[in-house]
Amino acid sequence: MLWLFEKLWEVLKRLGRWLRTKILNFAKNIKAFFFEKKQKELLQKKREVIACSIKENLNNGNYGVVNCLYNTETEDVVSMDYATEVEAEQLDAETVSYFGSKDMIVLT
């Protein structure tokens, strides 16, 4: 799983499209992204595609979270059109509970 995290993070660091928010909210900023029509349809249609979120502690004390769709067969991000980044000063309790001490979660 570490190789997946490293590969995804390198690809996604190049996105550079950070959305900024005061508090990252799991339901609003993570779960909602994967329930958008195009992401939801692709996840339902292709079993090899998974939804994942990666968290990073940034040098400025904030948190960066990348949401993306990952193809387990090609071992690559589906498309940058299916990815988003959020930077926040804080994480809400639900986000903290899902990530725990991990830097990546796969949403099922």
Side-chain angles (χ1 to χ4, degrees):
M1 194 68 147
L2 181 60
W3 62 270
L4 172 64
F5 172 76
E6 290 171 349
K7 182 175 178 123
L8 275 172
W9 190 247
E10 285 306 312
V11 170
L12 295 172
K13 281 197 312 191
R14 291 182 263 156
L15 264 176
R17 299 180 297 152
W18 288 101
L19 302 173
R20 300 196 193 296
T21 185
K22 191 85 165 160
I23 300 174
L24 187 129
N25 180 285
F26 185 84
K28 181 180 175 187
N29 303 112
I30 298 176
K31 189 175 177 183
F33 172 78
F34 295 110
F35 278 97
E36 287 180 15
K37 185 178 179 180
K38 67 180 183 176
Q39 283 85 271
K40 189 174 179 181
E41 286 176 354
L42 190 59
L43 285 166
Q44 290 173 342
K45 191 171 18 174
K46 298 190 177 212
R47 293 285 179 206
E48 69 274 13
V49 174
I50 60 172
C52 59
S53 290
I54 302 168
K55 174 181 65 89
E56 180 184 33
N57 297 331
L58 304 174
N59 292 336
N60 63 5
N62 290 351
Y63 299 92
V65 175
V66 176
N67 302 313
C68 67
L69 299 182
Y70 183 80
N71 187 314
T72 58
E73 289 180 358
T74 63
E75 297 183 353
D76 206 356
V77 174
V78 171
S79 167
M80 291 306 174
D81 294 333
Y82 293 94
T84 188
E85 297 172 294
V86 179
E87 181 177 333
E89 293 176 15
Q90 299 175 18
L91 304 176
D92 75 328
E94 187 176 9
T95 303
V96 170
S97 72
Y98 276 104
F99 276 101
S101 62
K102 302 176 292 259
D103 290 325
M104 183 174 82
I105 56 174
V106 176
L107 290 88
T108 55

